[in-house]
Amino acid sequence: MRFIFYILCLFVMAGSCGTQTEITAEPQPEPTSPPAVKPAKSSIPYDLAKPDDTKELPFTLMEISGLTMAKDGSILAIQDEMGSIFKVDQEGKVKEIPFRKPGDYEGIERVGDDVYVVKNTGTIYKISNLDQEGQNVEKFKFFLNDTYDIEGLGYDKKSNSLILGAKGGGEEDPKGGERLVFRFDINSMVLQEESLFGFTNEKIQGRAKELLNQGREDVRKIVEEDEFRFGLCGVAQHPKTGEWYLLSSPEKFLMICNDQGDILDMTKLDKRIHAQPEGIVFDNDGNLYISNEGKKNKSV
């Protein structure tokens, strides 16, 4: 028996390094025939098929489910079986920091000096003084439950709010077609009952069809898949554009939207790199990190 452990992939934002040189071309004669139309390209500023760096980490992080950046540039990770936060440094060394009893913890986000963790039930934990003397945990429970299956947790700096992404549809439709996003106001420590925005499979496939008609072949599988199901499992806001990046693990799929829930772009992820994408986070420079849960495979 062999194990493929969790993989953390780094993608450097295109255009973030280097200089640009302006070149003025000489006038050219008019072409006798129109040039061939080039297929439209994705607006996503990362080459998601070619990570700039990858790290393979220990078996304890095989069930990795969420990421956030620590103040010192290391990564804080959560896994969905243990009540611990794992600090991963630049060399890939891991330090475990217990904070609560075992449970289905799905998302993590650092806001200032505090760290927030969310369970699949929507329960939010605020950890103060993480890994210090006097570490303290506060619990916040609202109307959400496990039928919503909360898996994504992000932070909106403009409104000082946590963003919770649901993989399920709620009590009336736990396997329903709409995946909702909720806002938790950190100033009032209250979860807003009205969802911020939501996505149906039809809405996503409709936008994918528009992109396909523009020549985007990378979304063809999304359009043609009869049983397409958007399983929202990761949420992160780009620090430079303010756009929201959302992961779907079942479909190995990345989608970008704005604050109103308008779908700006999307793409399928290469399953050879992203076996089960669950965690997503940006650093301050806009570099993108995606973590994948591990898989158990029998050796050949």
Side-chain angles (χ1 to χ4, degrees):
M1 180 77 72
R2 68 185 178 90
F3 294 92
I4 300 175
F5 297 120
Y6 125 83
I7 298 294
L8 176 66
C9 299
L10 162 66
F11 302 91
V12 177
M13 185 166 64
S16 61
C17 301
T19 59
Q20 296 181 346
T21 303
E22 183 175 350
I23 300 175
T24 303
E26 295 295 327
Q28 299 294 320
E30 291 292 328
T32 56
S33 59
V37 178
K38 294 183 178 180
K41 292 185 178 180
S42 168
S43 64
I44 300 174
Y46 305 93
D47 188 346
L48 297 170
K50 297 179 181 178
D52 292 87
D53 190 19
T54 60
K55 286 183 172 60
E56 186 174 320
L57 296 182
F59 180 72
T60 51
L61 281 169
M62 186 171 178
E63 299 290 336
I64 188 79
S65 56
L67 302 174
T68 191
M69 300 299 300
K71 270 190 171 183
D72 62 4
S74 59
I75 290 177
L76 300 178
I78 200 80
Q79 67 111 291
D80 62 10
E81 293 181 347
M82 299 172 62
S84 293
I85 293 169
F86 297 85
K87 188 172 184 178
V88 184
D89 66 18
Q90 295 296 325
E91 286 71 42
K93 296 179 181 179
V94 178
K95 179 181 181 180
E96 181 178 350
I97 307 168
F99 75 95
R100 196 168 170 81
K101 64 183 181 180
D104 193 351
Y105 302 101
E106 295 289 352
I108 182 170
E109 193 67 47
R110 179 185 64 83
V111 181
D113 294 325
D114 299 320
V115 175
Y116 294 84
V117 173
V118 68
K119 289 182 75 172
N120 70 318
T121 58
T123 302
I124 298 170
Y125 300 93
K126 176 184 177 182
I127 302 104
S128 305
N129 302 317
L130 180 69
D131 199 27
Q132 301 175 32
E133 186 176 352
Q135 176 173 301
N136 182 59
V137 180
E138 297 177 74
K139 177 181 175 180
F140 300 88
K141 178 61 181 172
F142 301 95
F143 59 90
L144 297 174
N145 53 48
D146 58 0
T147 64
Y148 285 94
D149 197 8
I150 300 297
E151 290 209 5
L153 187 66
Y155 176 64
D156 181 14
K157 186 176 181 180
K158 299 188 298 294
S159 62
N160 192 32
S161 300
L162 295 175
I163 303 300
L164 285 70
K167 190 177 181 179
E171 292 181 353
E172 296 182 0
D173 195 8
K175 296 183 178 180
E178 187 167 26
R179 303 294 179 253
L180 299 173
V181 174
F182 297 91
R183 185 191 297 278
F184 175 76
D185 189 312
I186 292 178
N187 296 319
S188 63
M189 303 303 280
V190 171
L191 180 69
Q192 297 180 2
E193 292 194 20
E194 184 177 354
S195 62
L196 190 61
F197 49 76
F199 304 96
T200 63
N201 297 331
E202 291 76 17
K203 177 180 178 179
I204 296 171
Q205 287 187 297
R207 178 60 176 139
K209 187 175 181 179
E210 293 175 356
L211 295 173
L212 180 62
N213 290 338
Q214 297 171 15
R216 285 283 302 281
E217 287 295 322
D218 60 307
V219 301
R220 179 175 292 278
K221 289 183 178 180
I222 300 171
V223 174
E224 296 179 347
E225 189 171 338
D226 292 334
E227 297 183 359
F228 177 84
R229 177 179 176 273
F230 180 56
L232 202 166
C233 63
V235 179
Q237 187 177 52
H238 197 290
K240 297 183 181 295
T241 67
E243 297 166 343
W244 292 100
Y245 282 55
L246 298 92
L247 277 178
S248 172
S249 183
E251 300 297 336
K252 299 171 180 55
F253 167 72
L254 177 69
M255 183 170 70
I256 301 175
C257 72
N258 59 20
D259 285 334
Q260 291 72 48
D262 301 317
I263 301 174
L264 306 178
D265 209 339
M266 64 181 71
T267 191
K268 289 282 283 186
L269 298 173
D270 189 336
K271 64 182 180 181
R272 294 170 296 181
I273 300 171
H274 303 282
Q276 190 171 335
E278 293 278 350
I280 182 169
V281 70
F282 295 94
D283 62 23
N284 290 333
D285 294 326
N287 298 316
L288 170 64
Y289 299 79
I290 296 177
S291 65
N292 289 266
E293 284 195 9
K295 294 286 188 179
K296 296 180 181 180
N297 288 333
K298 292 183 179 179
S299 59
V300 178

